[in-house]
């Protein structure tokens, strides 16, 4: 009850819409037992943030590129050796 009085007193003094919305949001979050998180906490929960996402995407792209190049190289070498051996034996 004391918190509600303090909030109402704060609303009477500020009369700012942003302040009212901020207080309402905090009340709503507290009613749901939700705690606010800062960006450091969010990056830990989400897996590392922007730098980790960039690194993961770069590694994945390089891995796919190397895989495609290796597949094409093996195919090219197989085709070339097959034609070369076929020409020598005929």
């Amino acid at each position: 009850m004391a918190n509600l009085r303090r909030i109402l007193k704060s609303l009477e003094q500020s009369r700012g819409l942003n302040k009212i919305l901020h207080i309402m949001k905090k009340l709503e979050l507290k009613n749901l037992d939700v705690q606010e998180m800062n960006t450091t906490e969010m990056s830990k929960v989400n897996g590392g943030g922007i730098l980790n996402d960039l690194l993961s995407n770069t590694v994945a792209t390089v891995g796919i590129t190397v895989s495609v190049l290796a597949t094409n190289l093996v195919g090219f070498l197989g085709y070339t050796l097959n034609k070369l051996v076929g020409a020598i034996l005929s």
Side-chain angles (χ1 to χ4, degrees), residues 64-78:
I64 291 169
T65 303
V66 168
S67 174
V68 168
L69 288 174
T71 301
N72 288 339
L73 180 62
V74 168
F76 173 75
L77 290 176

Side-chain angles (χ1 to χ4, degrees), residues 10-79:
S10 174
L11 287 174
E12 288 173 5
Q13 291 173 352
S14 67
R15 297 205 189 267
L17 182 59
N18 288 336
K19 183 78 172 174
I20 294 169
L21 292 175
H22 182 71
I23 291 172
M24 288 174 64
K25 178 183 170 191
K26 283 194 173 264
L27 284 173
E28 193 173 297
L29 292 174
K30 285 181 182 177
N31 287 338
L32 297 172
D33 290 331
V34 175
Q35 295 179 352
E36 293 186 33
M37 295 173 62
N38 61 29
T39 53
T40 305
E41 292 171 323
M42 289 175 67
S43 68
K44 288 179 183 175
V45 170
N46 290 332
I50 295 171
L51 185 59
N52 188 36
D53 292 345
L54 179 64
L55 183 61
S56 297
N57 291 337
T58 303
V59 168
T61 302
V62 168
I64 291 169
T65 303
V66 168
S67 174
V68 168
L69 288 174
T71 301
N72 288 339
L73 180 62
V74 168
F76 173 75
L77 290 176
Y79 175 80

Side-chain angles (χ1 to χ4, degrees), residues 72-88:
N72 288 339
L73 180 62
V74 168
F76 173 75
L77 290 176
Y79 175 80
T80 303
L81 289 174
N82 190 19
K83 289 292 184 181
L84 186 61
V85 169
I88 291 173

